Amino acid sequence: MPETEDNKPAAAHNDDELSPETRRQIKRRNFLSFATFFTAGGAVYGGWRWLYTAPPEKPGITAGTHKPLRRALNKTELFFRNFFSNNHLVKTYPKAMAAKKVRVNSDIGIEDKNYNMAAWQLQVVKSRNEVLKITIEDIKALPKTEIIYSFKCVEGWDQIQHWAGVRFSDFINHFGLQEQAKLSYIGMETPNKGYYVGLDRESALHPQTLLAYEMNDEPITEVHGAPLRLIIPVKYGIKNLKRIGTITFSNTRPRDYWARQGYDYYSGL
Ligand SMILES: Nc1nc2c(c(=O)[nH]1)N[C@H]1C(S)=C(S)[C@@H](COP(=O)(O)O)O[C@H]1N2
Ligand SMILES: [Mo]
């Protein structure tokens, strides 16, 4: 009778036929895979417990997360900052693609409907005892730069928008702030100090970063941050402070409204 699948001798599949050596090997492998499974599982659980019970950060510039997570965030920041280059530009679009109905997100620090816009002046803290006071006319007299790009909010929306104003780096040079701008950070706050952001100097000096006073070729409206707001395309919306009141320079991180609630301080794109 010819050999088929059905009548093949079963011997090769019969455990009884395995040599003692093969049996030992199978036992050993079974043991190893279970041991690996439980050890790895234990490590994952241990790691999670470690993270979960790790002390939270001290409230301050940043807060709201466990310390190891912040260390990871800071490492991520360093990684991305190494890649950051002022020659790398954010993608821009033709003017016709800019939204006519520009989204309004939040109004922290600019809620006051009776704000005296005419009295507005930008205060630039040069040193402990020197504060520059700059009017909107002074700023409009500088070369105007426009940008049409995709504005991105961490809350999950983005929109192609058209802004114009003075390049922050042009502003620095015009007002003789080159020395101050060598410090690592720039802080910006609303006139009432209700909203504030901290920026690393490289991002602030990026050629697409603007102190903007126009949106869609018109003066910026109150809800969008009149008379002057920050447009910093290399960052998420949270850093794009509306209605700038003061600008400061420092080597330590300036306070940052959303970083205090646990958001990433760098918030780069
Ligand atoms: N003063 C101030 N600036 C602010 C905010 C704010 O609440 N107050 N919100 C930020 C956030 S989260 C975003 S997404 C943008 C939104 O700008 P828009 O309202 O012009 O769209 O402004 C940023 N600047
Ligand atoms: Mo946002």
Side-chain angles (χ1 to χ4, degrees):
M1 185 160 92
E3 252 189 20
T4 67
E5 278 298 316
D6 296 328
N7 65 5
K8 227 197 260 172
H13 303 294
N14 189 338
D15 278 3
D16 297 342
E17 305 285 315
L18 295 174
S19 72
E21 176 54 21
T22 311
R23 265 170 222 262
R24 261 199 300 282
Q25 276 180 3
I26 290 175
K27 258 195 171 155
R28 200 176 127 71
R29 288 205 186 148
N30 278 343
F31 171 75
L32 280 179
S33 40
F34 277 105
T36 310
F37 179 79
F38 285 111
T39 314
V44 168
Y45 177 74
W48 176 80
R49 283 296 305 167
W50 169 77
L51 196 54
Y52 191 76
T53 55
E57 313 173 271
K58 284 208 190 73
I61 297 299
T62 50
T65 188
H66 293 293
K67 276 182 176 168
L69 284 177
R70 178 64 58 193
R71 277 200 290 277
L73 277 171
N74 289 345
K75 283 257 166 55
T76 315
E77 166 176 340
L78 283 180
F79 179 81
F80 281 105
R81 287 180 72 165
N82 282 337
F83 274 105
F84 190 86
S85 158
N86 276 354
N87 300 319
H88 189 112
L89 296 183
V90 167
K91 184 176 155 86
T92 55
Y93 296 84
K95 212 180 251 192
M97 286 178 74
K100 293 285 163 288
K101 253 193 102 173
V102 180
R103 268 188 88 136
V104 178
N105 206 68
S106 43
D107 64 353
I108 305 161
I110 59 169
E111 309 90 341
D112 182 6
K113 294 280 162 278
N114 302 316
Y115 180 72
N116 185 356
M117 206 63 75
W120 179 92
Q121 282 190 322
L122 179 62
Q123 312 224 359
V124 182
V125 183
K126 277 189 87 170
S127 67
R128 216 171 259 286
N129 39 33
E130 197 181 354
V131 180
L132 294 185
K133 298 205 170 143
I134 300 169
T135 66
I136 197 69
E137 287 72 33
D138 297 335
I139 289 170
K140 286 183 176 169
L142 301 181
K144 182 159 51 165
T145 302
E146 288 186 66
I147 187 163
I148 298 119
Y149 77 107
S150 176
F151 184 104
K152 295 183 176 68
C153 170
V154 281
E155 284 172 40
W157 58 267
D158 59 79
Q159 188 177 49
I160 297 176
Q161 299 177 350
H162 173 200
W163 300 92
V166 62
R167 237 185 218 134
F168 188 65
S169 61
D170 289 347
F171 169 89
I172 292 290
N173 291 331
H174 178 82
F175 287 102
L177 297 162
Q178 293 91 339
E179 283 307 307
Q180 285 75 10
K182 283 181 188 153
L183 302 186
S184 308
Y185 293 97
I186 289 153
M188 296 192 187
E189 309 209 344
T190 56
N192 72 357
K193 317 242 171 273
Y195 195 84
Y196 35 87
V197 298
L199 309 158
D200 55 285
R201 69 179 291 279
E202 292 80 11
S203 299
L205 296 174
H206 185 277
Q208 290 172 311
T209 300
L210 308 181
L211 298 181
Y213 48 82
E214 282 179 5
M215 186 186 82
N216 288 336
D217 292 318
E218 300 283 345
I220 293 180
T221 54
E222 287 202 27
V223 286
H224 288 295
L228 189 74
R229 79 172 292 175
L230 180 67
I231 287 295
I232 183 161
V234 296
K235 299 284 189 198
Y236 275 107
I238 44 177
K239 295 282 188 184
N240 290 243
L241 187 105
K242 300 195 275 193
R243 193 183 295 158
I244 310 171
T246 54
I247 300 183
T248 57
F249 305 86
S250 57
N251 272 328
T252 51
R253 286 178 164 189
R255 61 185 191 147
D256 186 279
Y257 188 90
W258 285 111
R260 273 193 169 174
Q261 329 269 324
Y263 281 76
D264 178 30
Y265 193 93
Y266 190 63
S267 288
L269 277 163

